[in-house]
């Protein structure tokens, strides 16, 4: 039986398969980066433009060794090559996953890419965004707790141009500092949690924020790591507050 005949029904019915990515390489004939699936009977490839329906991957390294879903697009009998699409499989799966998420179903999501302020996570190949503030009670960076390949239970927070998730159980940072440790002129490390036109809130510890003036230079955004100098400490018993100035941006 030819490959075309074998996969004819699967192509027509857009049947979704699962496979492991064996390697990535640039195919000179196709003039494209490709994912090569671990398959014994033929060369199963996914071209770059068929890898993802929602995001542009600068590097494909993280796909090696990952299980992906795909549908078969076509077969080249002469080259013994099967052309597949993860992108189309995502769109099919998305139609079944989103209604379940909208009903409030909790699902395990796999971390596939970590950013400074968030992480991209996948549910059965469908990609969404999990922000630090929706992962932890204190905006702890996801990258400080999880690594690529780890899973976290999430539910849908918002559906806009992309899926936005939140953790079912928010991470609690075990590092809690005593407010009395902070004094004027101290240089401390922190993470930006909110940027406003009138100032920046910087998380100094799991339970302590400082309101800092905007720095004169440097690009500042949620998740930026900074060094701050404390300018004022208000400890009136009712509401402890810290004011500071961002000295420099670490990254």
């Amino acid at each position: 039986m030819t490959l075309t005949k074998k996969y004819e029904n699967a192509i027509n019915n857009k049947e979704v398969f699962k496979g492991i990515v064996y390697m990535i390489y640039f195919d000179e004939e196709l003039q494209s980066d490709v994912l090569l699936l671990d398959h014994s009977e033929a060369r199963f490839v996914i071209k770059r433009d068929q890898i993802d329906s929602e995001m542009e991957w600068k590097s494909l390294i993280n796909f090696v060794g990952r299980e992906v879903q795909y549908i078969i697009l076509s077969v080249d009998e002469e080259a013994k090559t099967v052309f597949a699409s993860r992108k189309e499989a995502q769109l099919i799966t998305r139609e079944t996953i989103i209604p379940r998420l909208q009903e409030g179903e909790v699902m395990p999501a796999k971390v596939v890419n970590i950013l400074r302020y968030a992480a991209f996570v996948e549910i059965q190949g469908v990609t969404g965004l999990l922000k630090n503030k929706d992962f932890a009670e204190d905006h702890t960076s996801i990258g400080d707790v999880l690594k690529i390949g780890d899973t976290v239970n999430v539910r849908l927070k918002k559906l806009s141009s992309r899926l936005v998730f939140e953790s079912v159980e928010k991470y609690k940072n075990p590092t809690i500092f005593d407010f009395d440790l902070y004094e004027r002129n101290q240089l401390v490390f922190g993470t930006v949690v909110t940027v406003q036109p009138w100032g920046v809130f910087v998380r100094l510890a799991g339970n302590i924020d400082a309101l800092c003036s905007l720095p004169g230079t440097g690009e500042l955004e949620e998740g930026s790591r900074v060094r701050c100098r404390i300018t004022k400490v208000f400890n009136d018993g009712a509401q402890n507050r810290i004011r500071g100035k961002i000295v420099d941006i670490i990254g």
Side-chain angles (χ1 to χ4, degrees):
M1 181 186 295
T2 64
L3 287 172
T4 302
K5 189 65 177 177
K6 180 175 181 178
Y7 291 110
E8 182 178 7
N9 288 335
I11 293 172
N12 293 334
N13 298 328
K14 295 187 176 182
E15 184 178 345
V16 177
F17 296 90
K18 292 181 180 180
I20 302 295
V21 177
Y22 179 70
M23 70 164 61
I24 57 172
Y25 67 96
F26 183 80
D27 190 294
E28 294 287 351
E29 185 177 345
L30 299 175
Q31 283 296 292
S32 171
D33 293 317
V34 300
L35 305 182
L36 178 66
L37 300 175
D38 188 7
H39 212 286
S40 59
E41 66 178 348
R43 187 172 66 123
F44 276 62
V45 299
I46 303 176
K47 295 171 61 178
R48 177 177 276 277
D49 64 0
Q50 293 297 323
I51 288 176
D52 206 296
S53 66
E54 298 170 327
M55 58 187 293
E56 182 75 24
W57 291 89
K58 292 182 180 180
S59 172
L60 304 179
I61 292 175
N62 289 334
F63 278 99
V64 177
R66 276 178 56 189
E67 182 181 76
V68 297
Q69 293 184 313
Y70 64 92
I71 68 166
I72 297 174
L73 297 176
S74 61
V75 175
D76 184 334
E77 289 285 355
E78 185 176 344
K80 204 174 182 181
T81 298
V82 175
F83 294 98
S85 173
R86 177 176 179 267
K87 174 181 176 180
E88 294 299 322
Q90 281 179 309
L91 295 174
I92 293 169
T93 306
R94 186 182 173 92
E95 291 180 0
T96 61
I97 291 292
I98 287 182
R100 292 166 58 188
L101 289 168
Q102 288 177 318
E103 290 175 2
E105 185 173 341
V106 173
M107 296 186 176
K110 182 176 291 187
V111 178
V112 296
N113 194 20
I114 295 175
L115 310 175
R116 184 164 56 185
Y117 66 93
F120 282 106
V121 297
E122 266 186 17
I123 298 174
Q124 298 178 34
V126 178
T127 307
L129 192 68
L130 176 62
K131 295 182 178 180
N132 292 340
K133 66 181 180 180
D134 295 322
F135 167 75
E137 290 185 347
D138 64 348
H139 294 247
T140 294
S141 172
I142 295 172
D144 290 339
V145 181
L146 303 177
K147 62 183 184 298
I148 291 174
D150 286 346
T151 58
V152 56
N153 289 327
V154 300
R155 59 182 162 232
L156 183 66
K157 180 180 180 181
K158 183 173 65 174
L159 175 59
S160 53
S161 58
R162 71 165 71 252
L163 297 172
V164 179
F165 298 116
E166 62 181 356
S167 295
V168 176
E169 295 184 9
K170 286 195 172 183
Y171 175 78
K172 296 181 180 180
N173 194 324
T175 305
I176 304 297
F177 287 100
D178 191 331
F179 188 85
D180 293 335
L181 289 174
Y182 297 94
E183 297 178 352
R184 187 173 180 272
N185 287 328
Q186 281 179 331
L187 188 66
V188 294
F189 166 81
T191 303
V192 172
V193 294
T194 306
V195 180
Q196 301 289 348
W198 38 265
V200 181
F201 282 99
V202 177
R203 182 62 43 88
L204 303 183
N207 59 336
I208 298 172
D209 287 350
L211 176 59
C212 299
S213 57
L214 290 164
T217 60
E219 185 177 342
L220 202 63
E221 59 184 19
E222 182 182 309
S224 295
R225 300 185 176 199
V226 297
R227 277 188 283 260
C228 304
R229 188 170 299 281
I230 295 175
T231 56
K232 290 183 180 180
V233 177
F234 302 90
N235 192 347
D236 55 16
Q239 186 177 11
N240 298 326
R241 293 168 294 150
I242 294 177
R243 293 286 180 89
K245 179 180 180 181
I246 294 176
V247 177
D248 59 4
I249 302 171
I250 301 172

